[in-house]
Amino acid sequence: MSDMDEFLEMFFAECDELLEGVATGLRQMDSSEYEKETVHAVFRAVHSVKGGAAAFGLSDLVSFAHKFETVLDLVRSDALDPDPRLMAVLHRSSDCLADLVEAARKSIDPDHARREELLGELEKLIGVKDENENDDDVEFEPISIDLMSFDAPEVPESYRIFFEPNADLYRSGNDPVAIIRALDKLGETDITIDTARVPVLSEWDDSTPVLGWTVLLRTTASTAAIEDVFEFVEDCCKLEITALVAEQGDEGDGTAQTSSEDFPTVDVTAQQVQETTDDQAETVSTKAAFSPLAPTSANAGSEGRAVKSSETSSSATIRVSLDRVDKLMNMIGELVIKEAMLSQVIQTAGFAEDPEVKGGLESLRQLAGDIQESVMAIRAQPLKQVFQRMHRILREAAEATGKQVRLVTSGEQTEVDKTMIERLIDPLTHMIRNSVDHGLEDAITRKRNGKPQEGTVTLSAAHKSGRVQIEVSDNGCGINRARVRQIAEEKGLIAPGATLSPAEIDSLLFLPGFSSKSEVSALSGRGVGLDVVRREIMALGGRVMISSSEGKGTTFTITLPLTLAVLEGMLIQLNNQTMVLPITAVQETLRPEQSSLHGIGRSGRTLSNRDELIPIIDLGCIFGFREKPSASDEGVLIVVETDGHKRAAFQVDAIFDQRQVVIKSLEENYGRVPGVSAATILGDGKIALIIDPEEIVLSSHSDQGPEQMALTANG
Amino acid sequence: MLDTLSHNTIGKQDAIAFKLADQDFCISIGCVREIRGWAPTTVLPHAPEYVRGVINLRGSVVTVVDLSARLGFGTSEPTERHVVIIAMHEGRVVGLLADLVSDIVTISDDNIQPVPDIASDPAREFISGMITFEDGRILRKIDLERLLPTSPSMPS
């Protein structure tokens, strides 16, 4: 990757944050009681995007951001009133800006029509106020990606640079040629060498350098940029930089002479970056200086400072590639396994009771657990980034359907694993669109039903018993069950006249090929239905449920595991094989009394427990470890509940232990096994399979299951 | 027969030779990562007969294929003397259960002959060539790609 690509990537990463800030700020401005500072913040963010874009020559982005920023400046100076109409334009502009950034990132052509349209609207807004009141130049201010601390005049200025290296410069491996070349990159140069002190050959002393150079430089770069070239050699050379006064005679030029001792302080971030990558910094500042939009900042000082300070506070974070974190996570998984192995060996060797061994082992275990948690915390990200995006999705959906909708979010700070964040975007987008399109009624119907005209979609997240729960609910009309049933029957998804509970009817929405809207709308109903949502969520180890009450609204509930790396499991035994059952599904374990067991027909069996009849599933049969279910009074029953509130009692031989296990993919080197979600490695180094109770319960409602399961297995 | 371990040159390649039901087989050394002794596996439910189960190879889950069963000799009864050849093919790691590893041999391409047309023997499917040696021994070269279980539903 070239340096430039790297900087571009940094710029885009920063753009993401800035755009998020713009979107948040604009939302705050929607309510009438916002602080002035919010507008400033939005303005600065747009401005920073523009600055960076200018440095990379992304002209589409620059010109749009410029107009956007101009309007924001008018709002800021109270010349424009942020009424809802104006805010709508601003929101769409922020979306468009995000699109342009995205287009630039992927180097594709942006949606010019949309851009033009919005530019027109922005111009109209600017037209309201005389644009001349704003001096364009004043607004430019360089704060793109921390690398450019230039305050370069647009008119090239001339400098005379005298540079005479002393012995230290050569000794430290620096090369005057490289420095002079760097100067040459800044602008036009005229270089003269001073050979006056070169002695005759017989008097040559190679420890004393004798050469000096005078460079006449004509450049648009700032004095600071020139000084930067000498940053590493300033202590070991004689250096004089003199700004040559322009012919017209601009007397008040303060940068007459800067000796190498009193360098002006460069802001810390920029300096750090430059220290690490001298060459790179140079490329960028050069590039920036040549860019036609290279800004002057006459009075942007206050803004500049404010942004700088906010950037300094965020520079406490680093960007790390996910691969590295994953690798770390894997190694910690290993550590946990090794620790378990070690303690087992110690147990067998009979040292387990030795207090020192015991204590050491205990602290080792604790440490391993702590490290694991910390790494998981690194991977954990607040759902905020996903929720942020949904505002836009909702806005677009509302626009497309002509409905008035408000999105209320809560629990944005709930953290989930990074990989999940990315993979949640599509399903949530779909669900939000679905809620707006299918869930909410239009304004007239709402009014007739005595509801507020504006519909509400609520997106909330929370941690709930070791899982993350995300809810998408609307206050619309609810599911029309008669209609759903009718469609399902028409499409042959269910047998006509089948007895279905309301919840079961609701679940029909998740069947592939079900789309209740008769006409295909532009928004949802493009053939991808809720079945896709369910599949994607299930791929994340999560579940989707739906609940609805007629006339009041519909709620989709997604539950997700906290992490894709570790789970709390119950270790069970089946035919000498150890398997793991996720603890989240387990409701209770019991040794049944004969009186509570009832057979149904030839092989069906149920357990009567707490006034409820629960089907018994012999896991040994399910997994093909034995032909016939073992006698009911043998072994232990584990009552599990699925997310759809279906219960079943799993019959197993024994329960050993409960512990955290590291999830290892089985599909990577083998493939999917029915009824098994993944594998893990036990303390003795053996592999145990992790049972997927959901799949087992859903695919076998009684002990007739095995054939069914085997069918899926071999089909 | 006991050639020195030479680097692969044009027309020559190294292979690991192993025994299975008194027949000699070999597999290209390029795909072999290591050779381990047999250790009990974790049984996979609903797996084809030739899939012996999975083992833990330094933290990753590796499927062990019973070559004997795969090649139609019937399932083997592994003892401590049996070996598992850990092979890698296109990023997938698989363990091959064999009776014993006998040698590392250098094969020149001239010695590889096509497999004679023996009607419908299961082994025929997985053998890509026959290597003859001067002393009359014959090695059957296994084609790893054809051998790998693609998924549990793969026809056995």
Side-chain angles (χ1 to χ4, degrees):
Chain A
M1 189 190 282
S2 78
D3 296 344
M4 213 51 202
D5 286 348
E6 212 169 291
F7 285 126
L8 251 178
E9 203 168 275
M10 276 170 71
F11 164 64
F12 286 132
E14 191 146 302
C15 270
D16 286 344
E17 278 164 29
L18 291 167
L19 288 168
E20 205 179 294
V22 172
T24 317
L26 286 178
R27 267 200 306 286
Q28 280 168 13
M29 284 165 68
D30 276 338
S31 68
S32 47
E33 302 142 11
Y34 64 89
E35 284 176 20
K36 202 81 200 163
E37 180 51 34
T38 314
V39 193
H40 290 308
V42 173
F43 176 84
R44 281 195 303 264
V46 174
H47 190 87
S48 303
V49 172
K50 185 176 83 172
F56 291 105
L58 305 166
S59 54
D60 279 347
L61 201 50
V62 175
S63 57
F64 186 82
H66 177 62
K67 282 279 180 307
F68 190 9
E69 173 191 274
T70 311
V71 173
L72 283 168
D73 191 50
L74 290 172
V75 176
R76 188 165 72 148
S77 56
D78 291 323
L80 277 174
D81 184 35
D83 53 15
R85 199 181 50 84
L86 171 66
M87 287 313 298
V89 177
L90 290 182
H91 275 302
R92 279 192 291 139
S93 303
S94 128
D95 294 348
C96 183
L97 191 64
D99 286 344
L100 289 171
V101 169
E102 200 54 36
R105 186 197 311 249
K106 291 179 181 153
S107 325
I108 50 168
D109 224 21
D111 184 353
H112 283 294
R114 192 179 144 89
R115 180 172 163 267
E116 292 304 321
E117 183 199 323
L118 271 166
L119 269 179
E121 286 191 49
L122 289 171
E123 260 157 31
K124 243 187 272 164
L125 287 166
I126 299 166
V128 175
K129 214 63 197 159
D130 186 9
E131 204 188 346
N132 292 341
E133 282 183 20
N134 285 283
D135 188 357
D136 273 0
D137 293 20
V138 172
E139 290 175 38
F140 285 111
E141 174 220 340
I143 23 157
S144 53
I145 51 169
D146 279 359
L147 287 163
M148 282 144 270
S149 59
F150 45 77
D151 36 351
E154 271 172 312
V155 188
E157 280 190 26
S158 298
Y159 297 91
R160 183 171 47 225
I161 301 157
F162 178 71
F163 168 54
E164 189 188 302
N166 60 28
D168 279 345
L169 185 139
Y170 293 101
R171 222 172 277 139
S172 58
N174 284 295
D175 185 355
V177 178
I179 291 165
I180 290 166
R181 280 205 191 112
L183 283 176
D184 190 48
K185 276 192 200 159
L186 292 177
E188 294 167 37
T189 47
D190 183 8
I191 304 157
T192 27
I193 188 159
D194 172 17
T195 51
R197 291 199 290 133
V198 177
V200 291
L201 208 53
S202 56
E203 287 162 32
W204 185 270
D205 170 16
D206 61 0
S207 63
T208 324
V210 289
L211 291 175
W213 287 269
T214 307
V215 181
L216 282 172
L217 175 67
R218 202 171 147 72
T219 178
T220 52
S222 66
T223 332
I226 300 170
E227 278 159 1
D228 282 348
V229 172
F230 295 98
E231 178 163 17
F232 291 94
V233 295
E234 54 178 286
D235 300 332
C236 44
C237 66
K238 210 196 253 173
L239 179 65
E240 278 167 31
I241 300 173
T242 324
L244 296 177
V245 178
E247 259 112 287
Q248 281 87 355
D250 188 357
E251 291 166 280
D253 198 322
T255 53
Q257 186 167 1
T258 329
S259 81
S260 54
E261 281 81 24
D262 55 41
F263 252 48
T265 40
V266 193
D267 79 293
V268 182
T269 13
Q271 195 170 25
Q272 280 168 342
V273 175
Q274 276 158 350
E275 264 168 21
T276 44
T277 52
D278 175 33
D279 286 347
Q280 295 172 356
E282 194 179 281
T283 333
V284 168
S285 50
T286 315
K287 173 95 182 174
F290 279 150
S291 139
L293 279 152
T296 58
S297 72
N299 69 346
S302 61
E303 280 157 23
R305 253 197 303 283
V307 173
K308 290 261 164 60
S309 68
S310 76
E311 279 172 1
T312 330
S313 67
S314 69
S315 69
T317 59
I318 50 162
R319 287 176 214 286
V320 182
S321 93
L322 209 53
D323 289 349
R324 291 190 189 179
V325 182
D326 283 348
K327 204 169 164 195
L328 190 60
M329 191 72 213
N330 271 340
M331 287 192 291
I332 287 158
E334 288 294 283
L335 180 67
V336 172
I337 293 160
K338 281 278 172 317
E339 178 270 314
M341 281 177 171
L342 188 62
S343 65
Q344 205 152 46
V345 170
I346 289 172
Q347 186 100 42
T348 338
F351 293 126
E353 289 313 309
D354 185 298
E356 269 179 50
V357 172
K358 208 172 174 179
L361 213 54
E362 189 53 47
S363 53
L364 180 66
R365 185 174 306 146
Q366 200 139 27
L367 200 60
D370 286 353
I371 297 173
Q372 188 177 325
E373 248 169 57
S374 316
V375 175
M376 265 156 63
I378 293 176
R379 288 188 56 105
Q381 300 266 311
L383 277 165
K384 195 170 170 198
Q385 354 174 345
V386 185
F387 280 21
Q388 292 275 12
R389 286 212 193 189
M390 294 307 135
H391 283 282
R392 172 177 184 180
I393 303 291
L394 183 103
R395 209 156 47 233
E396 285 173 350
E399 225 167 85
T401 53
K403 291 174 185 169
Q404 294 174 28
V405 196
R406 197 160 57 99
L407 180 65
V408 179
T409 56
S410 67
E412 294 182 323
Q413 293 310 324
T414 311
E415 290 189 329
V416 299
D417 195 274
K418 169 86 180 149
T419 30
M420 259 190 263
I421 296 255
E422 276 149 23
R423 289 167 65 182
L424 268 174
I425 290 172
D426 282 351
L428 279 181
T429 302
H430 199 92
M431 288 164 84
I432 294 274
R433 284 187 179 149
N434 192 77
S435 289
V436 174
D437 199 18
H438 303 284
L440 293 171
E441 319 90 324
D442 53 50
I444 305 160
T445 322
R446 286 184 72 89
K447 209 170 176 188
R448 203 170 51 225
N449 293 339
K451 287 184 184 177
Q453 281 195 22
E454 191 182 50
T456 309
V457 174
T458 315
L459 186 59
S460 64
H463 283 294
K464 221 167 187 184
S465 57
R467 282 171 85 85
V468 177
Q469 185 168 327
I470 302 173
E471 278 187 4
V472 181
S473 57
D474 61 67
N475 63 354
C477 53
I479 294 171
N480 183 343
R481 297 209 171 96
R483 176 102 185 92
V484 167
R485 196 191 172 102
Q486 191 194 337
I487 292 168
E489 280 178 14
E490 274 167 19
K491 299 205 170 174
L493 298 171
I494 52 165
T499 354
L500 294 174
S501 67
E504 277 171 317
I505 294 177
D506 293 348
S507 307
L508 289 176
L509 294 177
F510 289 118
L511 286 180
F514 186 96
S515 182
S516 73
K517 272 232 157 156
S518 355
E519 78 277 16
V520 172
S521 68
L523 210 51
S524 40
R526 273 172 248 185
V528 279
L530 286 170
D531 63 309
V532 180
V533 170
R534 182 160 77 164
R535 214 172 40 235
E536 282 173 30
I537 298 293
M538 275 171 84
L540 290 174
R543 318 278 175 215
V544 197
M545 280 162 291
I546 186 167
S547 69
S548 165
S549 71
E550 187 118 30
K552 286 200 181 134
T554 313
T555 301
F556 288 93
T557 311
I558 301 174
T559 58
L560 292 166
L562 273 182
T563 161
L564 302 173
V566 180
L567 79 93
E568 186 78 23
M570 187 179 266
L571 265 54
I572 58 162
Q573 193 182 34
L574 268 180
N575 240 32
N576 296 324
Q577 292 276 335
T578 309
M579 297 185 94
V580 181
L581 189 63
I583 207 89
T584 43
V586 176
Q587 287 220 311
E588 63 179 306
T589 59
L590 50 105
R591 231 174 241 287
E593 287 177 25
Q594 202 58 44
S595 60
S596 61
L597 297 169
H598 311 280
I600 307 174
R602 194 169 50 86
S603 61
R605 289 174 305 152
T606 62
L607 164 77
S608 129
N609 183 34
R610 301 177 204 278
D611 301 328
E612 194 187 5
L613 287 173
I614 303 170
I616 295 175
I617 301 172
D618 188 323
L619 285 187
C621 289
I622 291 287
F623 292 122
F625 293 149
R626 49 181 166 239
E627 300 275 297
K628 268 181 23 196
S630 54
S632 297
D633 48 358
E634 278 174 24
V636 187
L637 289 179
I638 305 171
V639 179
V640 295
E641 189 185 51
T642 67
D643 287 334
H645 302 291
K646 261 202 181 97
R647 280 187 198 183
F650 286 170
Q651 186 171 7
V652 301
D653 297 347
I655 298 174
F656 293 141
D657 196 2
Q658 180 184 326
R659 69 160 61 159
Q660 282 221 326
V661 295
V662 180
I663 300 174
K664 296 275 177 186
S665 163
L666 200 56
E667 287 170 41
E668 214 168 276
N669 281 326
Y670 180 65
R672 250 195 71 71
V673 179
V676 170
S677 61
T680 188
I681 297 169
L682 297 176
D684 58 3
K686 279 217 191 106
I687 290 177
L689 302 178
I690 300 172
I691 299 168
D692 183 352
E694 196 87 6
E695 193 180 341
I696 291 175
V697 174
L698 292 182
S699 64
S700 72
H701 293 280
S702 69
D703 269 348
Q704 270 112 42
E707 290 88 46
Q708 239 179 332
M709 293 287 291
L711 225 78
T712 30
N714 299 326
Chain B
M1 171 81 208
L2 235 168
D3 287 330
T4 44
L5 196 83
S6 65
H7 289 291
N8 281 0
T9 45
I10 297 164
K12 291 206 169 191
Q13 50 177 302
D14 285 340
I16 289 204
F18 55 90
K19 264 191 195 304
L20 206 63
D22 292 328
Q23 295 190 2
D24 288 303
F25 291 87
C26 70
I27 183 168
S28 169
I29 206 164
C31 55
V32 175
R33 312 315 296 267
E34 63 179 283
I35 296 165
R36 298 163 65 91
W38 162 260
T41 56
T42 300
V43 179
L44 287 174
H46 311 297
E49 187 197 22
Y50 61 83
V51 173
R52 198 77 209 190
V54 283
I55 53 164
N56 164 23
L57 181 75
R58 286 184 299 279
S60 42
V61 180
V62 175
T63 318
V64 177
V65 169
D66 185 346
L67 273 184
S68 164
R70 188 65 166 145
L71 297 175
F73 297 119
T75 38
S76 46
E77 290 299 328
T79 61
E80 275 178 19
R81 296 185 58 97
H82 279 70
V83 291
V84 177
I85 303 167
I86 306 291
M88 189 161 163
H89 179 76
E90 285 175 0
R92 293 210 322 157
V93 184
V94 68
L96 306 171
L97 174 64
D99 290 357
L100 64 101
V101 168
S102 47
D103 209 346
I104 294 173
V105 287
T106 304
I107 304 165
S108 66
D109 285 353
D110 308 340
N111 291 349
I112 303 182
Q113 293 182 16
V115 190
D117 258 334
I118 316 156
S120 74
D121 192 278
R124 166 81 180 77
E125 201 185 320
F126 309 114
I127 296 172
S128 62
M130 308 283 282
I131 299 117
T132 51
F133 286 94
E134 280 161 13
D135 60 2
R137 264 178 66 175
I138 281 184
L139 280 181
R140 297 142 191 89
K141 190 162 189 292
I142 299 259
D143 186 343
L144 191 59
E145 187 172 2
R146 298 188 214 170
L147 196 77
L148 289 188
T150 48
S151 79
S153 56
M154 184 168 137
S156 39

